[in-house]
Amino acid sequence: MDPAALLALMPFAVTAGVELDSAAPDEVTGRLPWAPERCTAGGVLHGGALMTLADTVGAVCAFLNLPPGASTSTLSSATSLLRAVRGGTAHATARPLHVGRSTVVVLTSVTDDDGRPVASVTQTQAVLGPS
């Protein structure tokens, strides 16, 4: 599915400035450019902004691994923030760790422009049948 069309389904992510670069069941990539309105004191990109980026690409990855007619909702999300982002762009790559009948577990790695680790996010998504 087209990354722009997938992102359009997530208005909060669009408002937050998340951009999707690629979207396939085995890997989803996206980015979030540094901007002053996304920062905490000292010009550091807010952890919540980084988590929004990771949650967005992770949710798209989970969605792309659902059976036909199913939807998903986050059950849990664990974030380890590893490095501050003071400029440039945060880049996220999400890959499925487990695709089951009732859950999808996704690992998302966030790096800076130099490829250094910024955050690691593991989220568990419920597989919801048609309503």
Side-chain angles (χ1 to χ4, degrees), residues 10 51-52 54-60 62-63 66 71-79 102-106 121-128:
M10 307 170 86
M51 293 166 70
T52 297
D55 185 68
T56 300
V57 296
V60 170
F63 174 79
L66 294 174
S71 62
T72 187
S73 180
T74 304
L75 292 174
S76 68
S77 182
T79 302
S102 59
T103 61
V104 176
V105 180
V106 177
V121 179
T122 304
Q123 64 188 119
T124 302
Q125 297 271 7
V127 175
L128 307 172

Side-chain angles (χ1 to χ4, degrees), residues 14-19 32-40 44-47 49:
V14 173
T15 299
V18 173
E19 302 169 20
L32 181 65
W34 182 95
E37 64 273 13
R38 298 182 186 124
C39 291
T40 62
V44 174
L45 194 60
H46 194 286

Side-chain angles (χ1 to χ4, degrees), residues 20-120:
L20 286 182
D21 297 316
S22 66
D26 62 330
E27 182 178 279
V28 176
T29 62
R31 59 195 147 92
L32 181 65
W34 182 95
E37 64 273 13
R38 298 182 186 124
C39 291
T40 62
V44 174
L45 194 60
H46 194 286
L50 293 169
M51 293 166 70
T52 297
L53 169 62
D55 185 68
T56 300
V57 296
V60 170
C61 185
F63 174 79
L64 292 174
N65 281 281
L66 294 174
S71 62
T72 187
S73 180
T74 304
L75 292 174
S76 68
S77 182
T79 302
S80 295
L81 298 169
L82 308 169
R83 178 185 314 276
V85 176
R86 291 183 172 87
T89 299
H91 305 269
T93 302
R95 295 183 179 102
L97 291 176
H98 168 76
V99 177
R101 289 181 300 155
S102 59
T103 61
V104 176
V105 180
V106 177
L107 175 62
T108 302
S109 300
V110 181
T111 59
D112 64 13
D113 284 331
D114 295 323
R116 297 177 299 187
V118 169
S120 179

